[in-house]
Amino acid sequence: MTIAEPQPGGRAEARRAAASSGRRRKKKDRRRRVLMPVLVTTGALVLAGGGGAFLYVQHLNSNIKSGQLGAGNAPPPAGAADAQGRVAMNILVIGTDSRKGLGGGYGDRENVGDGNNDVNILLHVYPDRKAAVALDLPRDSLVAQPKCQRKDGSVDPAKTEYPLNYAMGRGGPGCVKDTVEAVTGLKIDSWLVVNFQGVKDLTDAVDGVEVNLCSPVNDSGSHLNIPAGPYKLNGEQGLQFVRTRHSVGDGTAIGRFGMQRAFLSSLLRKLTDKGTLLNPTTAFGVVEAATKALTVSENIAGTTKLVGLATDLKDIKPGEVDFVQPPTAFTEDHPNPEYRSKNRLVQPGSRDLFALIRADKPLSGTEDHSAAPQPSGAASSPAPAPSAPPAPSVNPATVSVTVLNGTTTPGLAGGAVETLGKLKYRAATGSTADKSVTTSTVRYARADQEAAAKAVAEALGLPGSAVAAGGTGSGVVVTFGTDYRPGGGPAAVAPSAVPVPTAVPTDAKVHQGDETGCTKVKTNGAMLE
């Protein structure tokens, strides 16, 4: 599927030219600093001095709401440490569809509680604190979700295949955090939640956010109506902009990420401009709006902790933030009618992308921010550009695969067939009377089919131990058991067991925070190419 992306030109084009020569372009402007939009604003607290600072900080503390970090599940291990003992930091930014504070506007008047987690962006900050990845997980992704403890102490049982944006309703932001950890294998250190009102207030506080569309947008769903070209959004339009989906991309929450990325990149550049946070007439309004807009995990609650977090991120520049979304596929043929407008994460592309991020490997450019320590006294030099992945030893077009669902969970076989089909395997669903299989298997009948069976297992995120001889017929037979986790891989596979790929999956688009070319949108029902 196609995601809205900038047209060639400006700093993005210069970066591509530099990358092609094996070197990442050096930025001359060392004064620019970048933070995730809702974090950077707290840095303006340094402007408050003397006795009044204490009272002001206390006031800001009263603005900030907090909640438990998790929902009762053990997190995955942290990443590797660098020579200075630093590990990557992961911050989950959750955007909810709660209408709280909007006076009944935007429909769904009853939705004034936590709402759904409609935006899920995981900010992965490299150990050296000089670059970051903003990983977007589409809200409608059907993923395995762990059990979650609710506010009243009761426990919502684990889900095998469930829309990601339902996690908030299962156990609040802590459940979203635990679910994203289960899907990506990344240990999340803290989370922040922003609702509709927060987006409006922050946009107005910075005196508008500039965007640049390649063609006009008039969306009846969000009521956004703006022309092509550079345009400054006010608070109301800012909210409309990030909510718009029917008239952009593929008309879904997946395609909407292009709009959200353009908005966040522009807001990020605005906030890191010294004219915003070093100007007393705007700085305090930004800080006030940001603290009112935030609900944060308990470990970063309070202005002092947020400023400390902002300080950790102060050396990241907009051009060093990569925005990326894992490859997905729609589920129009899902056996559950309620899930036919959803999507699933495509494997092995999604799994490989998560593995790259866990290993702190670069997604763009050539500079390696991984935690591997450099030899003492060694001269620093750019890491070589990632090489193309080796050619597969198995030709998928020659492999016949039958997929069986050995569980009571609907849609597993159909989803796997769709994934394999995209990889050019000849796959089809089969039927089985046994619905109590516990361990997934990939079986082959002839010795010359072993390599094909291993390739199929890898494509579906199944461990090598699932591959075994003893199949029947002329092809490979996959049988899913209750250990299988669609979208997140099988439960038995630890993230560390997944090999680190040599390049970003070809169906995952990467964009930088300093790209200023116009954003493509859908016009008259067709995507601009």
Side-chain angles (χ1 to χ4, degrees):
M1 65 185 60
T2 305
I3 295 175
E5 59 185 23
Q7 293 289 330
R11 301 178 66 183
E13 185 65 30
R15 179 185 293 101
R16 283 189 285 270
S20 66
S21 65
R23 295 179 294 107
R24 186 162 192 157
R25 180 173 56 87
K26 298 293 185 180
K27 277 72 170 182
K28 295 182 179 180
D29 187 357
R30 296 297 180 184
R31 296 172 299 174
R32 299 194 70 182
R33 298 292 183 258
V34 59
L35 305 171
M36 204 60 194
V38 293
L39 293 178
V40 67
T41 56
T42 60
L45 288 172
V46 298
L47 297 174
F54 175 78
L55 294 178
Y56 186 59
V57 168
Q58 290 298 101
H59 163 70
L60 293 177
N61 282 338
S62 68
N63 285 346
I64 302 171
K65 300 170 290 295
S66 64
Q68 290 187 342
L69 175 61
N73 300 283
D82 66 4
Q84 287 73 46
R86 299 170 299 185
V87 297
M89 180 191 307
N90 295 297
I91 305 164
L92 180 61
V93 180
I94 304 169
T96 78
D97 61 359
S98 173
R99 271 66 167 174
K100 187 175 182 180
L102 295 176
Y106 302 94
D108 201 2
R109 292 171 178 267
E110 303 300 319
N111 186 5
V112 293
D114 289 339
N116 295 317
N117 47 300
D118 271 9
V119 177
N120 309 273
I121 297 179
L122 181 56
L123 185 70
H124 176 81
V125 182
Y126 290 96
D128 63 6
R129 304 295 189 261
K130 294 181 179 179
V133 173
L135 170 67
D136 173 70
L137 298 174
R139 67 172 193 178
D140 291 329
S141 300
L142 299 178
V143 298
Q145 299 193 22
K147 62 178 176 58
C148 286
Q149 185 173 5
R150 303 184 182 97
K151 293 179 181 179
D152 62 5
S154 62
V155 175
D156 190 74
K159 314 291 184 183
T160 302
E161 189 179 37
Y162 209 58
L164 175 59
N165 69 323
Y166 290 1
M168 182 77 86
R170 298 183 58 227
C175 185
V176 183
K177 172 257 187 191
D178 287 2
T179 297
V180 173
E181 284 183 334
V183 171
T184 65
L186 289 156
K187 180 180 182 293
I188 295 174
D189 301 287
S190 53
W191 52 256
L192 305 98
V193 177
V194 184
N195 60 20
F196 277 10
Q197 187 64 45
V199 174
K200 290 179 60 177
D201 290 347
L202 192 55
T203 303
D204 282 333
V206 298
D207 190 30
V209 172
E210 291 80 12
V211 294
N212 183 11
L213 297 181
C214 298
S215 55
V217 167
N218 186 356
D219 189 278
S220 59
S222 69
H223 305 295
L224 179 69
N225 186 0
I226 62 174
Y231 189 88
K232 180 191 277 191
L233 304 170
N234 59 29
E236 180 74 19
Q237 293 169 323
L239 179 56
Q240 293 170 345
F241 194 88
V242 298
R243 294 185 65 218
T244 292
R245 62 187 176 95
H246 296 296
S247 298
V248 300
D250 51 26
T252 71
I254 297 173
R256 179 167 62 181
F257 179 54
M259 298 283 281
Q260 293 173 344
R261 172 180 50 75
F263 178 87
L264 288 173
S265 296
S266 180
L267 178 58
L268 191 147
R269 293 191 298 270
K270 186 74 171 282
L271 288 170
T272 56
D273 180 65
K274 64 181 180 179
T276 299
L277 289 185
L278 295 184
N279 182 347
T281 63
T282 60
F284 287 104
V286 172
V287 174
E288 188 78 21
T291 53
K292 284 183 177 179
L294 289 177
T295 299
V296 302
S297 55
E298 57 194 350
N299 61 314
I300 56 171
T303 307
T304 301
K305 292 180 180 179
L306 284 174
V307 170
L309 181 59
T311 301
D312 283 342
L313 306 179
K314 66 181 177 61
D315 290 327
I316 306 174
K317 295 175 285 295
E320 302 299 336
V321 179
D322 288 334
F323 288 84
V324 67
Q325 189 180 67
T328 59
F330 291 113
T331 54
E332 299 100 329
D333 59 345
H334 199 284
N336 183 344
E338 294 182 5
Y339 288 173
R340 289 174 185 167
S341 60
K342 306 297 182 182
N343 64 271
R344 60 173 55 92
L345 304 183
V346 172
Q347 307 299 350
S350 293
R351 186 195 64 218
D352 288 349
L353 177 63
F354 301 153
L356 275 172
I357 296 173
R358 285 196 302 269
D360 301 313
K361 296 301 181 182
L363 301 188
S364 65
T366 57
E367 185 175 353
D368 194 340
H369 298 278
S370 62
Q374 298 295 321
S376 177
S380 60
S381 59
S387 58
S393 57
V394 173
N395 179 3
T398 66
V399 180
S400 176
V401 186
T402 301
V403 185
L404 307 176
N405 185 359
T407 77
T408 57
T409 302
L412 296 186
V417 167
E418 184 177 359
T419 296
L420 293 172
K422 288 181 176 293
L423 298 174
K424 308 305 181 184
Y425 286 93
R426 294 186 287 117
T429 58
S431 59
T432 177
D434 186 357
K435 293 293 184 181
S436 59
V437 177
T438 57
T439 304
S440 301
T441 58
V442 182
R443 297 190 179 277
Y444 58 95
R446 304 193 311 263
D448 62 351
Q449 296 172 336
E450 181 178 4
K454 290 180 177 179
V456 169
E458 181 180 1
L460 295 176
L462 289 167
S465 59
V467 179
T472 58
S474 59
V476 175
V477 178
V478 177
T479 303
F480 286 130
T482 55
D483 64 334
Y484 182 64
R485 297 294 184 266
V493 178
S496 59
V498 178
V500 179
T502 56
V504 176
T506 56
D507 47 358
K509 304 294 184 183
V510 181
H511 300 282
Q512 288 74 44
D514 64 348
E515 293 180 358
T516 56
C518 68
T519 300
K520 292 181 179 180
V521 299
K522 183 173 67 174
T523 306
N524 296 327
M527 285 297 298
L528 291 175
E529 296 297 336

